[in-house]
Amino acid sequence: SEHASSSYHEQANFAFTPNDNIWLYVPLPNYIHYADETHPLLQSYVDTVLQGCLEWGGPTMAEQFILTTGGWSEYFLNDTPSSRRPWLFRKEYNTIDELLKKYEEFTYYAERRHPEEFASAFNQRMRGSWNLPRRNPNFTGRDGQLDQLRLRLVNQDDSRGKQQQRVVVRVDVAGMGGVGKSQ
């Protein structure tokens, strides 16, 4: 689109001068490790690099990066927040995913997995809560409701000091979107 082509810098047609610095990352031979089930290739890292390519050289530079980069792996973890809803946190996600899919013989795009899929396929020890929104540090209130919920989930002493067993079959949290149910 016209907007997309004008959104990247004019650096797509630049030439280096003797005063320019070029920074390369070249790992020492003893420190070269390829992605595996415990150290996968991370979508968040790929996004960072390809966003820079798109910003400075547009889709052409991003394609060149993909085609000239080695070490792509089937151990490809989509570790981004809310990975099933990329429009929330991934800048340029549509363009990046289209490019990764276009060159999937290199990028293993079809093998990219969400955290729970990755854990079940490769690493049974992987733990954590996934696809939850980040905790809002400014969230306040609902103390009364949280206390009620906590009381339903823990054992309590009766009037004689004897612990009572509480059984919770189901607790529903309902409300309009955006009111803090996930917090």
Side-chain angles (χ1 to χ4, degrees):
S1 77
E2 183 180 319
H3 174 65
S5 64
S6 64
S7 65
Y8 59 91
H9 294 270
E10 295 300 318
Q11 273 80 357
N13 298 317
F14 66 91
F16 290 113
T17 68
N19 295 328
D20 289 330
N21 290 318
I22 301 172
W23 294 90
L24 299 174
Y25 170 73
V26 180
L28 297 172
N30 293 346
Y31 294 98
I32 295 175
H33 300 286
Y34 293 97
D36 61 21
E37 66 184 34
T38 56
H39 303 93
L41 178 62
L42 301 177
Q43 182 67 52
S44 57
Y45 177 76
V46 172
D47 281 353
T48 299
V49 174
L50 290 178
Q51 285 168 7
C53 290
L54 290 168
E55 181 180 341
W56 287 96
T60 302
M61 185 174 186
E63 286 183 63
Q64 292 247 303
F65 175 84
I66 290 169
L67 293 172
T68 59
T69 297
W72 295 98
S73 174
E74 66 272 15
Y75 299 107
F76 194 172
L77 173 60
N78 191 349
D79 66 323
T80 59
S82 296
S83 63
R84 295 188 188 278
R85 297 180 351 207
W87 57 92
L88 294 176
F89 296 104
R90 287 182 60 213
K91 181 180 173 190
E92 305 261 10
Y93 80 93
N94 207 17
T95 303
I96 290 170
D97 286 355
E98 285 175 12
L99 288 170
L100 293 173
K101 187 173 185 178
K102 180 178 178 179
Y103 297 105
E104 67 185 324
E105 71 271 16
F106 301 107
T107 66
Y108 294 88
Y109 177 79
E111 300 298 320
R112 183 180 71 175
R113 298 169 192 253
H114 298 282
E116 65 280 3
E117 297 165 342
F118 191 90
S120 65
F122 299 116
N123 189 346
Q124 300 299 322
R125 298 174 306 260
M126 193 173 180
R127 302 273 189 261
S129 297
W130 306 98
N131 290 329
L132 295 176
R134 291 182 180 159
R135 185 146 185 94
N136 181 348
N138 300 317
F139 179 78
T140 60
R142 305 280 190 250
D143 292 330
Q145 291 84 353
L146 291 172
D147 288 342
Q148 287 177 353
L149 183 59
R150 198 173 296 110
L151 286 173
R152 290 175 184 240
L153 297 175
V154 297
N155 293 333
Q156 293 190 345
D157 293 343
D158 65 13
S159 59
R160 297 170 289 172
K162 191 173 185 180
Q163 256 196 2
Q164 292 179 306
Q165 285 281 63
R166 289 201 163 225
V167 177
V168 177
V169 176
R170 184 172 96 187
V171 174
D172 292 320
V173 178
M176 294 180 0
V179 297
K181 296 180 301 293
S182 299
Q183 296 299 317

